Amino acid sequence: MIIALSGVDGSGKSTLAQGLDSMIKKEGKIVLILSVFEYFIIKKIVELFRRSSKEMTSPIKNKNPFLVFSLPFVIIDFWVHYLLRLNPLRRSYDYIICDRYFTDMLVILSYLDYLPKNLFKFCAEIIPKPNL
């Protein structure tokens, strides 16, 4: 079972994850806590982009067109991460507690106006879902 915890920094996701971990382990279950904020494809693309760009300012100050056009790669990356890393772990653990989940990146992109509101709902529908 995949349990996803989402929220802003400092909202208590890690504390809640640790509490759930302790509670579930008392029932004799095998638990893993991880963050899904690790990317495969996007990480490589961003590295290449940064090499070609002398200076990259914060996303709010720098309305970088690369980030706008990277959305299809972000969605593909979510699925690659899910299929190659997260889903295989389901065989070894009774519970996987995700301290951050794919939805967090969509919220960040939407908040920074890189993900148009009309696309947010569509993207939220096509990303991998947790069980809880």
Side-chain angles (χ1 to χ4, degrees):
M1 174 179 283
I2 297 175
I3 300 172
L5 304 174
S6 294
V8 297
D9 292 342
S11 63
K13 295 177 303 297
S14 297
T15 303
L16 181 57
Q18 293 297 328
L20 285 170
D21 178 62
S22 297
M23 223 172 64
I24 295 169
K25 282 181 177 173
K26 285 180 184 174
E27 296 177 7
K29 303 293 183 186
I30 302 169
V31 181
L32 173 67
I33 298 175
L34 62 91
S35 173
V36 295
F37 255 31
E38 298 169 12
Y39 300 99
F40 296 99
I41 300 166
I42 294 297
K43 185 176 180 180
K44 296 296 179 194
I45 292 171
V46 168
E47 286 172 6
L48 289 172
F49 182 76
R50 284 189 176 155
R51 282 187 208 139
S52 67
S53 174
K54 300 266 186 214
E55 184 179 317
M56 191 167 176
T57 59
S58 75
I60 294 172
K61 294 178 185 173
N62 181 15
K63 200 68 161 169
N64 194 318
F66 166 76
L67 292 175
V68 175
F69 295 111
S70 68
L71 183 61
F73 297 106
V74 170
I75 300 298
I76 291 167
D77 214 21
F78 289 167
W79 277 101
V80 168
H81 184 91
Y82 178 80
L83 294 171
L84 296 181
R85 181 161 185 243
L86 195 57
N87 200 42
L89 289 172
R90 296 175 102 167
R91 288 183 228 118
S92 303
Y93 296 91
D94 297 312
Y95 291 88
I96 300 170
I97 301 171
C98 298
D99 181 356
R100 295 257 184 226
Y101 201 67
F102 303 115
T103 49
D104 288 77
M105 179 56 79
L106 293 180
V107 170
I108 290 167
L109 290 172
S110 179
Y111 175 75
L112 296 174
D113 291 329
Y114 286 112
L115 177 60
K117 303 289 185 228
N118 58 345
L119 279 180
F120 178 85
K121 187 174 182 177
F122 171 74
C123 291
E125 289 296 321
I126 64 172
I127 62 173
K129 306 287 185 285
N131 299 99
L132 185 62

